């Protein structure tokens, strides 16, 4: 009996992928070591910044930031949520998770926003970037961990690299969308006043696209937080490690309090970035 596998030849895509990773590991090990050192320093600096002050001082700083960016209700929730994390003895783990999220967000925006601008300006760049973003967004999150472990080893750096790949697409897409939504009449007015292409981008397009870019920041943070927890499987610390430990020990209570801490951080970050974007959008509509 003839089967489909006997008619259609097998494509050794898995072997090609393995060969590519082996080639990258053998040929660019020095580059990956440098990247590893840089990422380690970035994570260490953020963790030091968040953990050096006493927890109560850090709570006051974060509450003040929440009040300034949003409103008193979010500041009150931030106060109660962070005090609960301290009472659960999860402060150090939470700050490590927060440092990983902040680092991955900064790196994702550092690459994502310029890619969005280039995609807006050049059709060829958009033609290449769009399918790449589709793959990055639809590929299962666990798949990113395998090549990252082979290239960078176990630990926080692997979690950071995989998280950046997983979380970057919203930054690119929403930057592109924000620039596309800038009214043509506004651009024509800027050209009438003699603005150069660079001046239009910096002084007109990016400020008008900022609310949409802030929405992209919000999505990047949420995706980063979810991926950082998953990355505990490859040796990342923080709250994800607590959740993974609870699974290995079948400890429901430990898993519950670790999940609660993740939810608190997620709500605080989500509300701060979401309401900050709303305020910016409201200010632009008033103008």
């Amino acid at each position: 009996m003839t089967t489909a596998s006997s008619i259609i030849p097998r494509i050794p895509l898995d072997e090609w992928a393995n060969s590519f990773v082996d080639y990258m590991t053998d040929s660019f090990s020095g580059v990956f070591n440098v990247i590893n050192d840089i990422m380690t320093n970035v994570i260490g600096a953020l963790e030091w910044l968040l953990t050096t002050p006493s927890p109560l001082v850090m709570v006051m700083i974060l509450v003040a930031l929440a009040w300034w960016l949003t409103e008193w209700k979010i500041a009150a929730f931030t106060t109660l949520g962070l005090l609960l994390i301290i009472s659960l003895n999860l402060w150090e783990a939470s700050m490590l998770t927060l440092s990983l999220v902040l680092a991955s967000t900064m790196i994702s925006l550092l690459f994502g926003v310029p890619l969005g601008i280039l995609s807006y300006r050049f059709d060829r760049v958009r033609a290449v970037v769009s399918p790449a973003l589709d793959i990055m967004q639809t590929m299962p999150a666990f798949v990113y961990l395998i090549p990252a472990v082979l290239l960078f080893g176990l630990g926080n750096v692997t979690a950071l690299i995989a998280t950046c790949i997983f979380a970057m697409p919203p930054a690119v897409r929403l930057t592109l969308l924000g620039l596309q939504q800038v009214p043509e009449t506004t651009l024509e007015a800027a050209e009438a006043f003699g603005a150069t292409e660079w001046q239009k981008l910096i002084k007109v397009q990016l400020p008008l696209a900022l609310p949409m870019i802030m929405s992209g920041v919000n999505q990047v943070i949420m995706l980063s937080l979810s991926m950082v927890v998953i990355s505990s499987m490859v040796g990342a610390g923080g709250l994800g490690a607590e959740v993974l430990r609870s699974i290995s020990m079948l400890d429901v209570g430990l898993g519950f309090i670790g999940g609660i801490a993740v939810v608190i951080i997620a709500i605080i970050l989500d509300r701060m970035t979401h309401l900050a974007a709303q305020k910016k959008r409201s200010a632009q509509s008033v103008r």
Side-chain angles (χ1 to χ4, degrees), residues 188-209:
E188 291 172 358
E191 292 175 357
F193 281 99
T196 63
E197 292 295 323
W198 181 254
Q199 289 173 330
K200 283 196 301 180
L201 176 65
I202 299 299
K203 297 184 178 181
V204 179
Q205 292 172 298
L206 285 179
L208 291 177

Side-chain angles (χ1 to χ4, degrees), residues 9-22 135 139 143:
R10 179 181 178 273
I11 299 176
L13 193 58
D14 52 344
E15 297 175 8
W16 296 344
N18 289 331
S19 299
F20 176 74
V21 173
D22 291 340
I135 295 173
M139 187 75 71
V143 176

Side-chain angles (χ1 to χ4, degrees), residues 5-67:
S5 59
S6 63
I7 299 175
I8 303 175
R10 179 181 178 273
I11 299 176
L13 193 58
D14 52 344
E15 297 175 8
W16 296 344
N18 289 331
S19 299
F20 176 74
V21 173
D22 291 340
Y23 168 76
M24 296 292 289
T25 305
D26 296 336
S27 303
F28 301 99
S29 58
V31 176
F32 293 127
N33 289 334
V34 172
I35 295 174
N36 199 330
D37 293 338
I38 294 173
M39 297 301 181
T40 300
N41 291 331
V42 170
I43 297 170
L46 287 171
E47 187 179 5
W48 177 86
L49 188 64
L50 294 172
T51 56
T52 298
S54 69
L56 292 179
V57 172
M58 201 66 221
V59 167
M60 288 189 289
I61 294 173
L62 293 174
V63 168
L65 181 63
W67 200 329

Side-chain angles (χ1 to χ4, degrees), residues 104-105 107-109 132-145 148 158-173 216 219-231:
S104 61
T105 300
I107 295 171
S108 297
L109 294 176
L133 294 178
D134 293 337
I135 295 173
M136 291 166 67
Q137 285 187 301
T138 55
M139 187 75 71
F142 294 97
V143 176
Y144 296 119
L145 300 177
T158 297
L160 180 60
I161 298 297
T163 301
C164 290
I165 296 173
F166 181 70
M168 190 188 301
V172 182
R173 291 190 185 280
Q219 292 192 24
V220 168
I221 290 174
M222 293 298 102
L223 290 175
S224 297
L225 186 56
S226 66
M227 189 62 183
V228 162
V229 174
I230 295 174
S231 298

Side-chain angles (χ1 to χ4, degrees), residues 12-286:
L13 193 58
D14 52 344
E15 297 175 8
W16 296 344
N18 289 331
S19 299
F20 176 74
V21 173
D22 291 340
Y23 168 76
M24 296 292 289
T25 305
D26 296 336
S27 303
F28 301 99
S29 58
V31 176
F32 293 127
N33 289 334
V34 172
I35 295 174
N36 199 330
D37 293 338
I38 294 173
M39 297 301 181
T40 300
N41 291 331
V42 170
I43 297 170
L46 287 171
E47 187 179 5
W48 177 86
L49 188 64
L50 294 172
T51 56
T52 298
S54 69
L56 292 179
V57 172
M58 201 66 221
V59 167
M60 288 189 289
I61 294 173
L62 293 174
V63 168
L65 181 63
W67 200 329
W68 177 59
L69 289 175
T70 58
E71 56 187 13
W72 70 268
K73 295 179 182 178
I74 305 302
F77 176 83
T78 302
T79 304
L80 296 175
L82 295 179
L83 291 178
L84 177 59
I85 287 176
I86 294 174
S87 70
L88 296 175
N89 293 324
L90 291 175
W91 180 258
E92 296 290 334
S94 298
M95 291 303 100
L96 176 55
T97 294
L98 184 58
S99 65
L100 287 171
V101 170
L102 293 177
S104 61
T105 300
M106 289 189 297
I107 295 171
S108 297
L109 294 176
L110 181 64
F111 289 96
V113 173
L115 269 177
I117 295 172
L118 290 174
S119 298
Y120 172 76
R121 295 296 304 274
F122 304 104
D123 292 338
R124 291 184 179 180
V125 174
R126 184 162 64 249
V128 174
V129 168
S130 293
L133 294 178
D134 293 337
I135 295 173
M136 291 166 67
Q137 285 187 301
T138 55
M139 187 75 71
F142 294 97
V143 176
Y144 296 119
L145 300 177
I146 302 171
V149 169
L150 294 175
L151 297 176
F152 298 99
L154 298 174
N156 291 328
V157 173
T158 297
L160 180 60
I161 298 297
T163 301
C164 290
I165 296 173
F166 181 70
M168 190 188 301
V172 182
R173 291 190 185 280
L174 290 177
T175 298
L176 173 61
L177 182 61
L179 293 173
Q180 289 174 335
Q181 290 181 347
V182 175
E184 286 294 331
T185 54
T186 304
L187 297 178
E188 291 172 358
E191 292 175 357
F193 281 99
T196 63
E197 292 295 323
W198 181 254
Q199 289 173 330
K200 283 196 301 180
L201 176 65
I202 299 299
K203 297 184 178 181
V204 179
Q205 292 172 298
L206 285 179
L208 291 177
L210 188 57
M212 190 64 68
I213 295 174
M214 286 298 298
S215 297
V217 173
N218 177 272
Q219 292 192 24
V220 168
I221 290 174
M222 293 298 102
L223 290 175
S224 297
L225 186 56
S226 66
M227 189 62 183
V228 162
V229 174
I230 295 174
S231 298
S232 63
M233 298 179 63
V234 293
L239 295 173
E242 297 295 321
V243 175
L244 184 64
R245 187 158 63 93
S246 71
I247 295 173
S248 63
M249 299 170 57
L250 296 179
D251 189 335
V252 177
L254 181 60
F256 179 74
I257 64 174
I260 287 293
V262 171
V263 169
I264 290 171
I265 293 176
I267 292 175
I268 292 172
L269 294 176
D270 177 70
R271 291 297 91 194
M272 287 174 65
T273 53
H274 181 70
L275 292 180
Q278 278 189 343
K279 282 188 174 182
K280 185 65 179 178
R281 193 176 290 110
S282 300
Q284 288 185 352
S285 62
V286 169

